[in-house]
Amino acid sequence: MPLALLALAVGAFGIGTTEFVIMGLLPDIAAEYGVTIPTAGLLVTGYALGVVIGAPLLTVLGNKVSRKRMLMLLMGLFVLGNLLSAVAPNFGLMLTGRVVASLAHGSFFGIGSVVAAGLVAPDKKAGAIATMFTGLTVANIVGVPLGTLIGQTVGWRTTFAIVSVLGVIGLFGIAKLVPAMPRPEGARLRGELSAFRNPQVLLAMAMTVLGFGGVFAAITYIAPMMTEVTGYSEGAVTWLLVLFGVGMFLGNLLGGRFADRALMPLLYTTLGGLAVVLALFTVVAHDKILAAIAILLVGALGFATVPPLQKRVLDQAHGAPTLASAVNIGAFNLGNALAAWLGGLVIAAGLGYTAPNWVGAVLAAAALGLAFWSAALERRTPAVEASTADAPVPAPVHH
């Protein structure tokens, strides 16, 4: 494994920690600033929207910068945002810090995916992408619970200060270990935008929104579901989220290993399995052991889709992968926001805390349908091209 992948994984670990640790620290932050929990929830929403906006924006702005330098600049922006959050004297500046940090998220994973894929042989690209994303999955096993514990015992500002240090370590790792990878000759914004004319790129992004959205429909409301329906204590929720992180870690390894061998069959399996597990989660949520198993499987099946979906976008974007890759990272967060909103709607409608699982199952099933449609289009396109090529050339008309 190239050491450069380790540097990218460290950056991913820091980003993953700051993205998810906020959920466990909301009560403390709300209390310090004297705001309500729903208002403090804007720190989560603002981050997600910042990723969606920042992914294409910063990728476009960095179009004339080498990929290594852009990764370093993005980590610098990440450090700045977390430092601002750590010292913010009021809620407005805290929210600003969250948004600043989030702007780096999409572009880092988007450009990082391209860099990781370029460091290895063509048949190991998905594995390299998965190695980088391992940092994100490990963050949910180690970084988030540890950051929550530090925040609740020492103070939440300390958590963000430590995350800033992780960003500095990632920045220096990229500077030292990632080889110089100049911007490809002839790469232009128009060329990057042309990737979005490819229906397969758009279908892959739609699969990203719906498939990973299915995961977040359930996980966003995991705390009230586990305490009110399953009967777990509030303290047990942290460990259930660690279990979810373990599932993410295992799913990422699975996705990275098999996406290079059989990408579309892997997507059929994981998206179909995710839809089934989410549907069953509605029933098994009343049993502590079965609910815990379901949480593990949701994490595993959900994150097993990440390497193949990211590789699918890279493959279909051909010579202009950078912007498409970054936008696909934004698509993951768009799916998160959409699913959380839909899950909230069904709860507000009085359908109960398990209802978001049905929302997730429908979203995952829709993503599976798009995967079959994408494969059908891919099979049809070569056939059309071949028939066009074999068609007899009309004889010239002489006047």
Side-chain angles (χ1 to χ4, degrees), residues 109-183:
F109 281 109
I111 296 172
S113 295
V114 177
V115 171
L119 292 170
V120 296
D123 62 340
K124 296 183 178 180
K125 286 184 178 182
I129 295 171
T131 299
M132 180 186 71
F133 275 94
T134 297
L136 179 62
T137 59
V138 172
N140 282 274
I141 302 172
V142 180
V144 172
L146 187 58
T148 301
L149 178 64
I150 292 172
Q152 291 173 345
T153 54
V154 182
W156 61 265
R157 294 182 186 276
T158 303
T159 298
F160 286 101
I162 292 173
V163 171
S164 300
V165 174
L166 288 173
V168 172
I169 295 172
L171 192 157
F172 278 104
I174 292 168
K176 293 293 184 182
L177 299 176
V178 174
M181 301 179 74
R183 182 172 166 269

Side-chain angles (χ1 to χ4, degrees), residues 197-388:
R197 292 200 296 265
N198 183 348
Q200 293 289 6
V201 171
L202 299 178
L203 281 171
M205 290 180 178
M207 281 185 267
T208 297
V209 171
L210 297 174
F212 210 70
V215 174
F216 262 73
I219 295 303
T220 299
Y221 302 99
I222 197 70
M225 190 195 314
M226 291 298 99
T227 55
E228 299 295 329
V229 178
T230 313
Y232 277 108
S233 66
E234 290 185 1
V237 173
T238 298
W239 298 109
L240 290 170
L241 288 174
V242 171
L243 188 63
F244 173 69
V246 171
M248 291 172 65
F249 177 78
L250 296 174
N252 184 58
L253 293 181
L254 174 73
R257 180 174 182 180
F258 291 102
D260 284 316
R261 305 179 188 179
L263 191 150
M264 293 308 293
L266 175 63
L267 282 177
Y268 302 151
T269 303
T270 54
L271 290 173
L274 181 61
V276 171
V277 169
L278 284 169
L280 290 175
F281 198 4
T282 307
V283 179
V284 303
H286 298 274
D287 182 274
K288 288 185 176 181
I289 294 177
L290 293 179
I293 294 172
I295 290 172
L296 176 71
L297 290 175
V298 168
L301 292 167
F303 224 81
T305 66
V306 175
L309 283 172
Q310 196 67 4
K311 184 175 184 291
R312 180 74 172 170
V313 169
L314 290 176
D315 290 345
Q316 297 299 326
H318 303 301
T322 309
L323 181 59
S325 177
V327 170
N328 196 51
I329 298 298
F332 282 108
N333 281 266
L334 181 60
N336 298 351
L338 173 66
W341 175 67
L342 291 173
L345 284 182
V346 295
I347 291 175
L351 299 179
Y353 287 120
T354 60
N357 296 332
W358 281 114
V359 173
V362 171
L363 291 175
L368 177 62
L370 289 180
F372 283 118
W373 184 18
S374 176
L377 283 178
E378 198 166 37
R379 288 192 297 268
R380 193 180 309 151
T381 301
V384 172
E385 292 175 350
S387 63
T388 304

Side-chain angles (χ1 to χ4, degrees), residues 83-111:
L83 281 177
L84 183 56
S85 295
V87 301
N90 55 62
F91 183 77
L93 281 177
M94 174 66 179
L95 179 58
T96 301
R98 289 288 293 168
V99 172
V100 169
S102 72
L103 292 174
H105 182 128
S107 290
F108 181 85
F109 281 109
I111 296 172

